């Protein structure tokens, strides 16, 4: 047989075998599919306070099963318990990291995610820069985890401390049971932030591994059905929607701030991957899986402390820090030969100690590949690392005194000249991979190294602050200045909310009146916090901090609980009052928000129409589709939706026409100046007319005198709140006010 004929025969046979499950399988049974999820593997999967599983993997598993026309049932347990249940057949499907040993026991779906591992230890631990340095240490790992399996199979000279979960592995370090914890990077960073563990991540993340759905080897019919349902889920775009719902929570470096979203280009690429032929999917999975094992094996080969010579051999130099020679690095040599953070600090200290102190223009900078995490998730670790290699080679071409790699697409450089003058365009131009049709922009945080005495750690921290500010402000680069330094009070506020030490948090109430009848028609609940150390902390201080830290839900939960209890206890004569509550985008974008509201309503026995959810107009610019879906669900439950601070954004008309809303609140900025400014009064006039044409109520806030009240009546506003009626007051003060209020006193101004 000729080679070409043999090749065509093999390809045809492969397609026949691959597509046979699609066209030739028997009809799958209708029994529920049981999926197992870890109780504490946030943000990917965890069990909430009601006992229900939540997370990115949970939503994806549910979508696949439902897309295949089956019912999904869930089992949550510790990880060792889940693996045992899968082996015994008590559960059908379990998402897990793919490994060679696991592939011998289970069959896997195509991979859908990518995770790395990291080392976590107490701050100040010396000599821990990467995985090779764990020798001689007690290492805490979760039983039957990927890390546990690999440590058992390797020849590392370590003592293994087994735990039942990832959190327990991390807690074993401060508890004194272990020196180091080895867990997946994203989950470890998430749990560190959530539980405020006094640990830090060391070195560069290692062991890039695929995540996939595992099934028993003998469940061939289940695997055939599931893989078909999975392919349809990908090709129909469901994966992208689920990823967008959870994207900001999956990256621990942005989960507590603005989050990060995949671009349209990446979404389209993901769609193409999902729609690819079975042959390409199978070949990619086989090759990627084997390369992952090979990369993990190569990674642990000792290669530190050397320099690459012309023959690409490692020559022992006997020095603590080694610079790569000025030449192209390739992927295989980058990790082991490019200086990491500790080596960078040593080299920077040495260079600064030898400098001429008359030189006062030395600068230190941190550069980040902004889209590194998204590229990793959607295109795999190798593609993301190619971006890293390209930026590394760009830096090697510069005349820098020291450079290093922090991991996660972040580099550091030290220069004896203004860095951006050396080549602003070369440094900050996006890094593109034409062969993969992906790229990443670069953002930079800079700091000047003074000629006089200085602390290098402090200089680096300030550069990190400048980088963080550039990311938040979406600036290409920022130079550090003192105003960027975090307020110690801010850290204490965030820590108090993380520990749930918020005893002084309470609601105050400001009445709203109906301008036709003069009667009190509603209340706005406003958060106030009396801190034991700082005294009264204004919402403008603590609310933005909590939103950046991902903790605003604590305020929302506290306020919602207090207000629902208040509505339930109101006397019948005040049963008509509605209460407005301010929510952040994070609060309403949480997939659990609608069910959480339902639980509160059921617990206190109140009707949803008593609650008005207020959201600032500028917030609608963030994740508009997710927010629109959440608001629509809340409105269907009977809640009213209010657009607060109306007129302060840039797309007011589009918000009114596109988003579900029942009322708009004119910002106090316009109300307070309407008597002196014809422009502000014209804005109020047009807003009232537009809102009424759309069938919406108009509430004006910030009315402070009788003349303003009369002008608002003249303009046709429906409701008003402000000091002319009453200041925000406690529940006790509100009871007195409601009993003594006389409608005519404010409805007919003198």
């Amino acid at each position: 047989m000729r080679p070409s004929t043999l090749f065509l025969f093999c390809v045809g046979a492969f397609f026949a075998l691959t597509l046979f499950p699609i066209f030739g399988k028997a009809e799958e049974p209708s029994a529920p599919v049981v999926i197992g999820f870890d109780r504490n593997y946030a943000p990917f999967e965890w069990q909430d306070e009601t006992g229900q599983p939540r997370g990115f993997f949970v939503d994806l598993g549910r979508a696949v099963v439902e897309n295949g026309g089956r019912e999904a049932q869930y089992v949550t347990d510790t990880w060792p318990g889940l693996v045992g249940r899968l082996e015994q057949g008590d559960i059908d499907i379990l998402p897990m990291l793919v490994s060679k040993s696991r592939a011998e026991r289970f069959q896997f779906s195509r991979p859908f995610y990518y995770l790395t591992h990291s080392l976590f230890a107490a701050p100040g631990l010396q000599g821990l820069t990467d995985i090779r340095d764990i020798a001689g240490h007690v290492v805490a790992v979760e039983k039957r985890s990927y890390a546990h399996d690999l440590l058992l199979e390797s020849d590392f000279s370590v003592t293994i401390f087994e735990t039942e979960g990832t959190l327990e592995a991390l807690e074993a370090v401060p508890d004194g049971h272990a020196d180091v914890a080895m867990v997946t990077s994203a989950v470890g960073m998430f749990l560190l932030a959530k539980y405020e563990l006094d640990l830090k991540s060391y070195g560069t993340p290692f062991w890039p591994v695929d995540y996939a759905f595992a099934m028993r080897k003998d469940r061939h019919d289940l695997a055939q059905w599931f893989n078909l349902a999975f392919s349809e889920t990908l090709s129909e775009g469901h994966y992208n929607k689920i990823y967008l719902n959870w994207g900001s929570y999956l990256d621990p470096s942005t989960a507590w701030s603005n989050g990060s979203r995949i671009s349209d280009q990446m979404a389209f690429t993901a769609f193409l991957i999902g729609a690819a032929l079975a042959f390409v999917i199978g070949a990619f999975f086989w090759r990627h899986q084997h390369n992952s094992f090979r990369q993990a094996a190569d990674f642990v080969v000792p290669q530190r402390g050397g320099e690459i010579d012309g023959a690409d051999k490692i020559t022992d130099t006997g020095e603590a820090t080694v610079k790569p020679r000025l030449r192209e690095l390739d992927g295989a040599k980058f990790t082991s030969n490019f200086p990491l953070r500790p080596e960078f600090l040593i080299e920077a200290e040495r260079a600064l100690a030898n400098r001429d102190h008359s030189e006062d223009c030395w600068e230190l900078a941190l550069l980040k590949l902004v889209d590194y995490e998204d590229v990793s998730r959607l295109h795999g670790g190798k593609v993301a690392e190619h971006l890293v290699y390209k930026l590394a080679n760009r830096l090697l071409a510069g005349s820098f005194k020291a450079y290093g790699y922090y991991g996660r697409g972040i580099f550091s450089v030290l220069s004896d000249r203004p860095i951006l003058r050396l080549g602003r365009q070369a440094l900050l131009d996006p890094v593109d991979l034409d062969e993969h049709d992906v790229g990443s922009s670069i953002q930079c945080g800079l700091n000047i190294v003074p000629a006089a005495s200085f602390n290098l750690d402090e200089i680096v921290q300030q550069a990190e602050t400048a980088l963080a500010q550039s990311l938040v402000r979406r600036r290409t680069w920022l130079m550090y200045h003192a105003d960027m330094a975090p307020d110690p009070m801010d850290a204490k506020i965030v820590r108090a909310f993380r520990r749930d030490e918020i005893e002084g948090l309470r609601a105050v109430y400001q009445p709203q009146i109906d301008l036709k009848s003069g009667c009190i028609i509603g209340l706005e609940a406003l958060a106030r916090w009396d801190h034991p150390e700082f005294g009264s902390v204004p919402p403008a201080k603590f609310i933005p901090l909590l939103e950046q830290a991902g903790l605003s839900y604590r305020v929302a939960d506290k306020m919602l609980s207090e207000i629902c209890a208040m509505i339930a206890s109101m006397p019948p004569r005040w049963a008509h009052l509605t209460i407005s509550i301010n929510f952040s985008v994070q609060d309403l974008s949480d997939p659990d928000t609608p069910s959480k509201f339902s639980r509160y309503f059921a617990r206190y026995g109140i009707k949803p129409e008593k609650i008005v959810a207020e959201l600032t107009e500028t917030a609608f610019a963030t994740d508009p589709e997710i927010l629109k879906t959440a608001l629509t669900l809340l409105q269907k439950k009977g809640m009213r939706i209010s657009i607060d601070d109306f007129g302060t954004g840039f797309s007011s008309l589009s918000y009114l026409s596109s988003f579900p809303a029942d009322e708009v609140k004119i910002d106090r900025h316009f109300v307070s100046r309407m008597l002196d400014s014809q422009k502000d009064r014209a804005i109020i006039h047009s807003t009232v007319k537009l809102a009424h044409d759309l069938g919406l109520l108009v509430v004006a806030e910030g009315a402070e005198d009788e003349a303003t009240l009369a002008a608002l009546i003249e303009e046709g506003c429906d409701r008003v709140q402000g000091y002319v009626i009453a200041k925000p007051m406690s529940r006790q003060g509100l009871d007195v006010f409601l009993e003594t209020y006389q409608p005519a006193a404010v409805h007919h101004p003198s």
Side-chain angles (χ1 to χ4, degrees):
M1 183 181 294
R2 290 163 46 187
S4 59
T5 305
L6 178 60
F7 172 78
L8 291 175
F9 173 80
C10 292
V11 171
F14 179 87
F15 268 91
L17 292 173
T18 304
L19 299 178
F20 175 77
I22 299 179
F23 298 107
K25 70 181 182 70
E27 183 177 353
E28 61 273 8
S30 58
V33 177
V34 183
I35 311 179
F37 293 108
D38 198 316
R39 287 176 181 167
N40 199 2
Y41 202 65
F44 301 103
E45 56 191 51
W46 76 93
Q47 182 174 289
D48 65 16
E49 64 276 6
T50 67
Q52 296 300 311
R54 290 189 58 208
F56 171 52
F57 294 168
V58 177
D59 285 357
L60 179 60
R62 178 188 297 114
V64 174
V65 172
E66 292 179 353
N67 200 59
R70 303 275 288 274
E71 178 186 349
Q73 290 184 356
Y74 310 105
V75 171
T76 57
D77 200 343
T78 62
W79 179 251
L82 289 170
V83 177
R85 290 189 181 210
L86 180 64
E87 292 172 336
Q88 296 167 12
D90 295 334
I91 58 177
D92 300 314
I93 295 170
L94 180 63
M96 67 168 64
L97 291 166
V98 181
S99 71
K100 184 176 182 180
S101 62
R102 288 175 175 177
E104 294 173 353
R105 293 179 290 143
F106 307 116
Q107 54 184 325
F108 288 93
S109 70
R110 61 156 297 175
F112 59 84
Y113 205 74
Y114 156 87
L115 283 178
T116 59
H117 287 72
S118 289
L119 301 174
F120 295 88
L125 184 63
Q126 299 298 316
L128 188 65
T129 59
D130 58 46
I131 188 176
R132 295 180 291 270
D133 298 326
I134 64 174
H137 286 289
V138 179
V139 181
V141 289
E142 185 179 27
K143 283 192 293 187
R144 308 201 72 174
S145 65
Y146 179 93
H148 187 216
D149 292 344
L150 220 56
L151 284 180
L152 291 175
E153 296 170 1
S154 71
D155 56 357
F156 285 116
S157 300
V158 298
T159 301
I160 299 176
F161 181 80
E162 299 177 348
T163 67
E164 291 294 324
T166 303
L167 177 61
E168 290 80 359
L170 293 169
E171 290 176 333
V173 177
D175 289 346
H177 300 301
D179 306 316
V180 182
M182 183 185 293
V183 301
T184 49
S185 307
V187 177
M189 295 300 294
F190 194 98
L191 294 175
L192 253 62
K194 180 177 180 181
Y195 294 98
E196 286 198 310
L197 300 174
D198 188 19
L199 301 175
K200 61 173 290 188
S201 174
Y202 284 82
T204 307
F206 50 90
W207 292 345
V209 193
D210 291 321
Y211 227 99
F213 289 102
M215 292 152 277
R216 280 177 33 153
K217 283 277 192 180
D218 58 355
R219 299 297 303 276
H220 302 298
D221 291 342
L222 175 67
Q224 292 170 6
W225 165 82
F226 187 86
N227 288 330
L228 174 59
F230 199 177
S231 297
E232 292 173 347
T233 302
L234 292 171
S235 64
E236 293 171 5
H238 298 311
Y239 178 92
N240 293 331
K241 293 178 181 178
I242 296 169
Y243 177 79
L244 287 172
N245 282 338
W246 288 101
S248 64
Y249 298 93
L250 303 183
D251 176 13
S253 67
T254 58
W256 307 114
S257 53
N258 291 337
S260 58
R261 302 297 185 196
I262 59 174
S263 65
D264 293 338
Q265 179 185 14
M266 292 178 179
F268 181 65
T269 304
F271 172 83
L272 292 179
I273 293 174
L277 293 173
F279 174 73
V280 178
I281 294 174
F284 170 81
F285 175 60
W286 183 87
R287 184 177 66 253
H288 187 75
Q289 178 178 338
H290 282 69
N291 285 345
S292 295
F293 301 140
R294 190 179 303 115
Q295 183 176 6
D298 292 344
F299 197 96
V300 298
V301 176
Q303 294 179 347
R304 297 178 61 231
E307 185 174 359
I308 305 177
D309 60 21
D312 290 347
K313 295 179 181 179
I314 304 298
T315 304
D316 187 10
T317 65
E319 297 184 5
T321 303
V322 177
K323 284 188 180 181
R325 287 188 176 177
L326 182 57
R327 66 177 193 79
E328 285 282 307
L329 288 173
D330 62 31
K333 299 181 178 62
F334 172 79
T335 302
S336 58
N337 291 282
F338 203 91
L340 302 179
R341 187 177 189 274
E343 286 85 1
F344 166 75
L345 294 176
I346 295 173
E347 187 68 18
E349 286 274 16
R350 180 181 298 147
L352 289 167
N354 295 327
R355 70 170 169 163
D356 182 349
H357 288 283
S358 64
E359 301 172 344
D360 59 357
C361 58
W362 283 50
E363 290 183 358
L364 187 146
L366 267 71
L367 301 97
K368 176 174 175 59
L369 291 162
V370 179
D371 305 306
Y372 174 82
E373 286 82 6
D374 283 335
V375 173
S376 293
R377 296 185 189 107
L378 294 177
H379 301 276
K382 287 198 170 183
V383 175
E385 289 306 314
H386 280 309
L387 290 173
V388 171
Y389 307 147
K390 291 199 71 172
L391 180 54
N393 284 308
R394 187 186 294 181
L395 297 180
L396 288 174
S399 301
F400 296 116
K401 294 297 183 180
Y403 31 73
Y405 183 55
Y406 279 41
R408 304 182 69 80
I410 299 176
F411 286 86
S412 56
V413 293
L414 176 70
S415 173
D416 60 351
R417 287 172 288 171
I419 290 176
L420 296 185
R421 285 189 208 165
L422 287 176
R424 175 175 177 174
Q425 184 175 3
L427 279 177
L428 299 182
D429 274 358
V431 178
D432 296 313
L433 297 178
D434 295 334
E435 65 271 26
H436 296 285
D437 194 25
V438 299
S440 179
S441 58
I442 298 173
Q443 286 182 258
C444 177
L446 292 146
N447 197 15
I448 295 174
V449 184
S453 61
F454 63 88
N455 182 308
L456 183 59
D457 286 337
E458 183 177 349
I459 295 294
V460 173
Q461 289 175 6
Q462 291 171 348
E464 291 171 351
T465 299
L467 175 60
Q469 288 290 329
S470 73
L471 293 170
V472 170
R473 300 181 194 179
R474 299 184 179 181
R475 298 276 296 276
T476 304
W477 66 273
L478 281 177
M479 181 70 74
Y480 176 82
H481 57 79
D483 292 343
M484 293 181 181
D487 186 345
M489 179 179 174
D490 295 351
K492 290 184 178 181
I493 288 174
V494 172
R495 184 164 57 249
F497 274 85
R498 281 182 175 161
R499 295 176 177 177
D500 203 22
E501 298 171 353
I502 52 176
E503 295 81 3
L505 185 66
R506 58 189 173 87
V508 296
Y509 304 90
Q510 187 171 36
Q512 297 176 353
I513 65 167
D514 176 71
L515 287 178
K516 292 182 179 178
S517 66
C519 295
I520 297 175
I521 197 68
L523 308 166
E524 181 178 5
L526 302 164
R528 296 291 185 266
W529 190 29
D530 298 322
H531 192 276
E533 179 182 351
F534 304 123
S536 179
V537 183
K541 175 69 172 176
F542 69 85
I543 293 295
L545 288 174
L546 299 179
E547 289 180 349
Q548 293 175 16
L551 295 170
S552 62
Y553 71 93
R554 291 194 180 275
V555 178
D557 289 352
K558 172 73 173 177
M559 295 288 287
L560 190 58
S561 176
E562 184 172 329
I563 286 150
C564 288
M566 175 183 171
I567 294 174
S569 65
M570 272 187 168
R573 61 183 176 278
W574 300 117
H576 65 283
L577 297 180
T578 60
I579 300 185
S580 302
I581 313 177
N582 291 281
F583 292 98
S584 72
V585 176
Q586 294 175 354
D587 300 330
L588 298 183
S589 297
D590 189 323
D592 190 46
T593 293
S595 60
K596 178 166 65 177
F597 276 69
S598 296
R599 293 195 295 271
Y600 275 108
F601 297 151
R603 182 188 307 169
Y604 292 98
I606 66 172
K607 296 180 179 179
E609 53 265 29
K610 294 294 182 183
I611 301 291
V612 180
E614 288 191 10
L615 199 69
T616 57
E617 178 200 348
T618 52
F620 283 79
T622 304
D623 299 329
E625 290 303 316
I626 295 176
L627 194 57
K628 182 178 180 180
T629 300
L631 294 176
T632 301
L633 290 174
L634 294 179
Q635 197 178 54
K636 286 181 179 180
K637 289 180 179 292
M639 291 179 60
R640 290 173 52 206
I641 308 299
S642 176
I643 301 178
D644 197 10
D645 298 339
F646 188 79
T648 59
F650 300 98
S651 306
S652 302
L653 295 178
S654 66
Y655 294 146
L656 287 181
S657 62
S658 303
F659 287 86
D662 300 285
E663 71 175 38
V664 295
K665 297 189 74 174
I666 301 176
D667 185 65
R668 63 181 67 251
H669 173 81
F670 303 107
V671 174
S672 65
R673 303 189 311 185
M674 67 178 298
L675 298 180
D676 302 318
S677 169
Q678 279 300 116
K679 289 183 178 180
D680 289 323
R681 184 151 185 171
I683 290 173
I684 292 175
H685 178 83
S686 60
T687 299
V688 172
K689 185 178 185 306
L690 173 63
H692 284 169
D693 288 344
L694 295 174
L696 305 176
L697 286 173
V698 181
V699 181
E701 56 182 353
E704 297 190 0
D705 53 50
E706 299 284 349
T708 302
L709 191 63
L712 290 170
I713 294 172
E714 184 178 336
E715 293 299 340
C717 280
D718 301 300
R719 299 178 180 182
V720 70
Q721 69 183 77
Y723 281 14
V724 68
I725 302 166
K727 296 181 179 181
M729 62 192 78
S730 65
R731 171 64 191 276
Q732 293 75 15
L734 178 66
D735 290 341
V736 174
F737 178 83
L738 293 177
E739 293 296 337
T740 59
Y741 173 74
Q742 297 295 324
V746 293
H747 182 53
H748 301 292
S750 57

